[in-house]
């Protein structure tokens, strides 16, 4: 504040703010002066509307500038230059003061204006004199609006001529969803239930069974017309139970009424075992026999199977083969880093799945993607079991290796020819060709007394397969003179099935066991024959005690 006319412009003697741009008493910082309102302002960078408001006398681009900054495509504001307000610099590409550049073009970021003519290549509207860049080329005129373009490829008209985009295309991605342009400068918007021949005409972006559908409706046992489903046209719904869909359901061409494939003999009406010819009623379904669910390969290269659910099954085999079944179809899982190594075993827990094979090949699925990891050794791995993503065990004619989530460690005193690993919750068990029967406890082993105490049994009885039972018991296949199915706690043993069994699986107290000739048995209070009629069974899995899945060298059977 001051009270002289020279400093304030007011009559002398009247206390008033010092005029803008002055600082006679050096009350402001070195880079600032009075603002004419009783405060201080920076010499440059402050907001302004006219030159007179700036100490420098230059108001450009709404800020006080260090110099006149009137050269073509130079600017003084952060919005114009990308740098701090108040310093004159080259203007950013796409910016322009009114009338600075010819036509609708803007600055090019190098101190000059764009001036591209019709048909010249462009990346943005501001490069073109017309103000319209479409499909990578400048139009001859402003070409605004939905489904308008100016290249022969998109419109069928000569290049640079603004015209509607061709029907059922959307090269500029202007229509919502999968809907396309209609050839008149607008988007198709046919409602659900309307007849169609192309998804681009439907507001939903889905044309199914000749009508616009409310969903993609791409399952094997769903449709979108009343004549097929009994529901209104345009509503995606399951096909009725028993509907045959040729070549859609792998191995079992019958829909179950819930949008998925089922075995033709399955019935969803039983309430008790007496309702079923086989005496097996599980989850209100009569288990009436075996049927192939594919993949029904021409050659036999499958080696192992694991299931999380009836519609989430994996099989592995030779040449890094991994197949996944979603309840309707089989899909190939490709992991290039596995090379062509044969895969021998697969297991999972929660979202984690692990496979192992020849030359130490290992790969994990974390619920999103498959990843091959460094092998613990170059030796073949025959067995794997998963506790969690940070606790996975693998073995072959090797020690038992433990994966920590980051690296492998070797369990002490665990070298053997391991044929099988299995788990009960967080406890892991193993069996070997030499008869070793162990409980893997983190980084150590607890050895059971198997096979001592069994008169007449050779000391080298191998344990081919193992699976957990409730309590402290297990079901195992031992290989001596014959391959028996035995129930054991490691110290005592009870033979339940005799001779030549090769595969088993448990789900709680329910047990399944199979011979290679296709003779299968199921235990629920007692053993019952459920023979497949197909020779060559090499593995079994069950997820609910009701359905079983038998692996053949080239196929999978569902019970």
């Amino acid at each position: 504040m001051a009270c002289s006319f020279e400093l304030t412009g007011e009559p002398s003697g009247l206390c008033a703010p010092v005029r803008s741009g002055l600082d006679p008493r050096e009350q402001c910082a070195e880079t600032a002066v009075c603002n004419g309102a009783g405060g201080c302002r920076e010499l440059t960078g402050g907001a302004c509307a006219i030159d007179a408001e700036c100490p420098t006398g230059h108001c450009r681009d709404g800020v006080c500038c260090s110099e006149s900054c009137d050269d073509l495509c130079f600017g003084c504001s952060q919005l114009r230059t990308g740098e701090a307000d108040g310093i004159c610099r080259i203007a950013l590409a796409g910016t322009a003061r009114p009338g600075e550049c010819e036509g609708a073009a803007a600055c090019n970021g190098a101190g000059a204006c764009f001036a591209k003519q019709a048909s010249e290549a462009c990346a943005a509207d501001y490069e073109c004199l017309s103000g319209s860049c479409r499909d990578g080329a400048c139009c001859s005129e402003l070409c605004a609006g939905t489904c308008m373009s100016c290249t022969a490829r998109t419109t069928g008209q000569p290049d640079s001529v603004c015209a509607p985009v061709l029907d059922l295309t959307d090269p500029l991605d202007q229509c919502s969803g999968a809907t396309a342009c209609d050839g008149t400068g607008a988007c198709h918007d046919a409602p659900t239930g309307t007849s169609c021949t192309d998804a681009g005409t439907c507001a939903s972006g889905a044309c199914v069974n000749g009508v616009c559908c409310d969903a993609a409706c791409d399952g094997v046992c769903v449709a979108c017309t009343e004549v097929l489903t009994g529901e209104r046209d345009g509503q995606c719904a399951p096909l009725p139970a028993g509907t045959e869909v040729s070549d859609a359901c792998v191995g079992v061409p019958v829909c179950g009424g819930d949008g998925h494939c089922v075995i033709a003999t399955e019935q969803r009406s039983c309430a008790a075992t007496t309702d079923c010819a086989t005496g097996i009623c599980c989850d209100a379904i009569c288990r009436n026999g075996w049927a192939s669910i594919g993949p029904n390969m021409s050659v036999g290269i499958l080696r192992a199977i694991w299931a999380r659910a009836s519609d989430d099954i994996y099989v592995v085999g030779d040449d890094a083969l991994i197949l996944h079944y979603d309840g309707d179809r089989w899909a190939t899982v490709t992991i290039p880093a596995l090379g062509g190594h044969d895969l021998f075993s697969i297991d999972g827990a929660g979202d984690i799945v692990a496979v192992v094979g020849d030359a130490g090949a290992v790969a994990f699925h974390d619920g999103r993607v498959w990843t091959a990891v460094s092998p613990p050794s170059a030796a073949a791995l025959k067995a794997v079991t998963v506790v969690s993503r940070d606790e996975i065990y693998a073995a072959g004619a090797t020690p038992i290796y433990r994966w920590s989530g980051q690296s492998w460690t070797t369990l002490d005193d665990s070298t053997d020819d391991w044929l099988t690993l299995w788990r009960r919750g967080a406890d892991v068990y193993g069996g070997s060709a030499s008869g070793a029967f162990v409980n893997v406890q983190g980084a150590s082993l607890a050895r059971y007394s198997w096979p001592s105490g069994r008169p007449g049994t050779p000391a080298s009885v191998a344990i081919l397969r193992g699976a957990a039972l409730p309590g402290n018991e297990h079901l195992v296949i031992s290989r001596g003179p014959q391959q028996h199915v035995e129930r054991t706690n490691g110290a005592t043993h009870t033979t339940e099935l005799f001779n030549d069994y090769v595969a088993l699986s448990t789900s709680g107290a329910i047990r399944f066991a199979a011979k290679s000739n296709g003779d299968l048995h199921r235990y629920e209070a007692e053993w019952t024959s459920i023979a497949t009629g197909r020779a060559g069974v090499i593995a079994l899995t069950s997820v609910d005690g009701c359905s079983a899945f038998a692996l053949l060298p080239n196929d999978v059977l569902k019970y």
Side-chain angles (χ1 to χ4, degrees):
M1 303 292 286
C3 59
S4 68
F5 174 78
E6 292 80 5
L7 296 178
T8 68
E10 301 294 336
S12 295
L14 179 64
C15 184
V18 173
R19 285 185 296 177
S20 178
L22 302 178
D23 187 15
R25 297 180 182 177
E26 298 183 351
Q27 294 176 309
C28 298
E30 290 184 3
T31 59
V33 292
C34 296
N35 64 5
C40 297
R41 67 175 297 152
E42 297 292 325
L43 287 169
T44 61
C48 63
I50 58 176
D51 288 345
E53 294 179 341
C54 297
T56 62
H58 304 295
C59 180
R60 297 293 181 270
D61 304 316
V63 300
C64 289
C65 194
S66 59
E67 55 191 282
S68 61
C69 204
D70 291 327
D71 290 342
L72 182 69
C73 286
F74 274 72
C76 210
S77 69
Q78 184 181 32
L79 289 176
R80 187 102 200 270
T81 68
E83 303 291 340
D85 287 338
I87 306 299
C88 186
R89 296 182 176 87
I90 293 175
L92 295 170
T95 65
R97 295 172 183 151
E100 185 171 27
C101 294
E102 182 184 357
C107 297
N108 65 4
C113 289
F114 281 114
K116 293 187 175 181
Q117 306 289 330
S119 297
E120 287 192 61
C122 60
D125 288 342
Y126 58 73
E127 297 181 18
C128 304
L129 290 172
S130 67
S132 290
C133 176
R134 297 289 180 269
D135 196 35
C138 288
C139 302
S140 61
E141 59 183 308
L142 184 64
C143 194
T146 301
C147 291
M148 299 295 291
S149 188
C150 64
T151 60
R153 185 185 72 83
T154 58
T155 68
Q157 301 299 315
D159 283 335
S160 82
V161 174
C162 184
V165 169
L166 294 170
D167 186 29
L168 296 176
T169 68
D170 186 15
L172 306 181
D173 196 24
Q174 293 179 304
C175 298
S176 61
T179 309
C181 299
D182 65 3
T184 68
C187 296
H188 281 292
D189 60 354
T192 57
T194 305
S195 296
C196 63
T197 57
D198 190 284
T201 65
C202 302
S204 65
C207 180
V208 182
N209 306 125
V211 299
C212 291
C213 193
D214 61 1
C217 211
D218 55 359
V220 298
C221 283
V222 292
C224 211
T225 60
E226 181 178 3
V227 68
L228 294 175
T229 68
E231 302 294 338
R232 63 174 174 80
D233 284 349
Q235 178 181 340
C236 183
L239 294 169
T243 302
E244 294 187 8
V245 185
S246 178
D247 298 328
C249 297
V250 177
V252 284
V254 179
C255 296
D258 59 357
H260 297 286
C261 305
V262 297
I263 296 174
T265 55
E266 287 185 350
Q267 301 173 9
R268 300 182 180 272
S269 59
C270 65
T273 56
T274 54
D275 295 336
C276 305
T278 57
I280 301 175
C281 176
C282 280
D283 195 23
I285 301 172
C286 283
R287 308 296 164 163
N288 288 336
W290 293 91
S292 167
I293 59 169
N296 198 19
M297 305 168 67
S298 59
V299 295
I301 61 174
L302 303 178
R303 292 179 179 270
I305 185 171
W306 175 78
R308 181 185 286 114
S310 294
D311 57 357
D312 191 1
I313 303 172
Y314 286 93
V315 295
V316 300
D318 292 353
D319 198 19
L321 179 67
I322 304 175
L323 298 175
H324 179 254
Y325 179 68
D326 65 2
D328 297 320
R329 299 164 172 156
W330 290 93
T332 301
V333 176
T334 301
I335 310 175
L338 287 180
H341 294 305
D342 297 342
L343 302 178
F344 300 143
S345 184
I346 180 169
D347 188 50
D351 290 336
I352 308 303
V353 183
V355 297
V356 299
D358 191 32
V362 184
F364 300 147
H365 187 264
D366 64 2
R368 299 179 299 107
V369 296
W370 283 93
T371 304
V373 301
S374 299
S377 77
L381 299 174
K382 303 174 185 176
V384 65
T385 194
V386 178
V387 177
S388 68
R389 68 177 59 244
D390 299 326
E391 188 176 359
I392 300 172
Y393 298 88
T398 65
I400 296 176
Y401 301 104
R402 183 182 188 275
W403 174 257
S404 67
Q406 299 293 328
S407 60
W408 294 100
T409 55
T410 302
L411 272 65
D412 293 339
D413 190 31
S414 65
T415 299
D416 209 322
D417 186 3
W418 300 103
L419 303 179
T420 181
L421 294 172
W422 70 96
R423 63 183 170 83
R424 179 196 290 113
D427 288 330
V428 174
Y429 300 86
S432 76
S434 69
F437 183 30
V438 297
N439 178 202
V440 180
Q441 299 174 323
S444 63
L445 296 182
R447 293 183 177 271
Y448 285 74
S449 60
W450 183 286
S452 65
R454 304 180 65 216
T457 301
S460 60
V461 171
I463 301 175
L464 299 179
R465 297 286 186 271
L469 289 171
N472 294 318
E473 292 192 313
H474 305 266
L475 200 66
V476 301
I477 295 177
S478 62
R479 182 175 62 192
Q482 292 86 28
Q483 293 173 193
H484 300 326
V485 176
E486 301 185 48
R487 178 168 46 86
T488 180
N489 60 12
T492 60
H493 317 275
T494 302
T495 300
E496 297 203 348
L497 295 171
F498 292 89
N499 299 338
D500 301 326
Y501 284 86
V502 296
L504 57 80
S505 178
T506 60
S507 180
I510 307 300
R511 311 163 200 175
F512 296 91
K515 295 182 178 182
S516 62
N517 66 1
D519 287 345
L520 266 81
H521 290 80
R522 178 180 183 272
Y523 180 92
E524 186 174 7
E526 62 181 354
W527 286 99
T528 304
S529 173
I530 55 169
T532 66
R534 295 273 299 273
V537 175
I538 55 177
L540 283 173
T541 189
S542 176
V543 295
D544 56 12
C546 297
S547 297
F549 299 90
L551 181 68
L552 305 177
N554 64 344
D555 205 5
V556 177
L557 307 180
K558 177 185 178 183
Y559 184 78

